[in-house]
Structure formats: C-alpha cells, structure tokens
Amino acid sequence: ADGVGTVRLARPERLNALTFESYAELRDFFVELRTRESARAIVLTGTGKGFCAGGDVKDIIGAMQGWPEAKLYAFTRMTCDLILNIRLLEKPVVAALNGVTCGAGAVMAAAADVRITTDAAKIAFLFVKVGLSGADMGAAWLLPRIVGMGHASELLMLGDFISPERAYEIGLY
C-alpha cells in the first residue's frame, strides 16, 4: 500500500517460528522484492504476540537429527542466504517487532535497516542456549556493526533476553 510492502509472518500459534518451507519462501521472496517496483520500502513483522521465535524447534531440530553433513550445510546456507537477501535489498527494510523476537527472528531483525518495537518486544540471540553457535546466520557479523563489539559479545555469548529499554540503550532498537 502506498509503496510500502508488508511481509507478515503468520504462525501466531507458534510465535511465528520458521519452518523449512518458510525459510525458503522468505529467502526467495526477498530476492523477488528487488524487482517489485510497486514496493519502495518493506516492513517485516509478525502476527499475534511474537515477531518470530526463530526456527521451529519441533519441526526443524528433531528432523535434522541424523542428517548427512551436506544436507546440514545446505540448510545452514539457506538460512544465511535469507539474511543476505534482506541485506542486499536496495530498499529500506523496517523490522516492526511486535513481541517475542529470538534466534533466527533476532537475526532477521538485525538484518533490517531499522528496528522499531512495542513495549513487549523482548529480544534474544539465544543460539548458545540451544547448543548452536552465536555466529549463526551471520549474527556475529551484523551485531557488532549495530551495537558495538562489547554489547554484541554479551548478547551472543549469554543468549539472554533483553528488554526493549535495554535494546534501545545499546542501539539495537
């Protein structure tokens, strides 16, 4: 509408957690947006009480057990390509964080040009809490550029949720 495209994550019953299919759909859609002239800016947001709770642990992590290394690498590459495609879009991307934002959702928010929030939008780069690298999906590259090395290290190494007020204080919001 009026040159602003809205990308709305729509799995509110799972806090908009991503599935294999939604990762791929978002990755491809951000490429398509490069040539969609009717959209001069993009708002990325969630439905319900969450922006995005990251990759759906129920649907993704369990399914990945026992995967061969090449298949794991392909999935990892796809998640990174989603972030890359957000960054390569030559249109402003605004992450409108309407609630819980963590894991892959936090990295998508970091990939946006601007993050705006409600009072309920706590955020965590909680990869280390689930046995993953804090560098997942490019978080270790993006965060220091937004909040500085010290704050980025704290967010990535501890994986704790921080309040909207704290995120604003350190320059994340």
Side-chain angles (χ1 to χ4, degrees), residues 43-88:
V43 174
L44 176 60
T45 193
T47 302
K49 295 181 180 183
F51 171 71
C52 178
D56 193 313
V57 174
K58 179 180 174 187
D59 292 345
I60 291 179
I61 302 301
M64 294 173 68
Q65 300 299 316
W67 274 13
E69 191 174 304
K71 193 171 180 180
L72 288 169
Y73 177 78
F75 173 70
T76 301
R77 183 74 255 160
M78 177 179 60
T79 66
C80 291
D81 286 345
L82 163 57
I83 301 307
L84 179 63
N85 292 341
I86 292 171
R87 293 300 312 146
L88 289 176

Side-chain angles (χ1 to χ4, degrees), residues 113-125:
D113 298 298
V114 177
R115 288 148 302 281
I116 59 172
T117 181
T118 68
D119 292 340
K122 62 183 183 175
I123 191 168
F125 294 83

Side-chain angles (χ1 to χ4, degrees), residues 7-147:
V7 177
R8 182 177 303 279
L9 305 174
R11 288 183 74 213
E13 72 284 358
R14 303 283 298 155
L15 294 175
N16 302 310
L18 301 173
T19 63
F20 293 114
E21 295 78 19
S22 60
Y23 270 115
E25 185 177 356
L26 285 164
R27 174 202 60 201
D28 297 344
F29 190 64
F30 274 96
V31 170
E32 179 189 325
L33 285 170
R34 294 176 192 170
T35 58
R36 190 176 287 194
E37 293 184 24
S38 62
R40 296 187 320 272
I42 306 301
V43 174
L44 176 60
T45 193
T47 302
K49 295 181 180 183
F51 171 71
C52 178
D56 193 313
V57 174
K58 179 180 174 187
D59 292 345
I60 291 179
I61 302 301
M64 294 173 68
Q65 300 299 316
W67 274 13
E69 191 174 304
K71 193 171 180 180
L72 288 169
Y73 177 78
F75 173 70
T76 301
R77 183 74 255 160
M78 177 179 60
T79 66
C80 291
D81 286 345
L82 163 57
I83 301 307
L84 179 63
N85 292 341
I86 292 171
R87 293 300 312 146
L88 289 176
L89 187 61
E90 294 180 347
K91 302 173 184 191
V93 177
V94 176
L97 310 178
N98 55 305
V100 174
T101 303
C102 57
V107 184
M108 288 192 306
D113 298 298
V114 177
R115 288 148 302 281
I116 59 172
T117 181
T118 68
D119 292 340
K122 62 183 183 175
I123 191 168
F125 294 83
L126 49 61
F127 300 107
V128 297
K129 299 278 189 182
V130 296
L132 298 172
S133 164
D136 207 26
M137 298 177 66
W141 186 88
L142 289 166
L143 268 180
R145 288 161 173 75
I146 300 168
V147 300

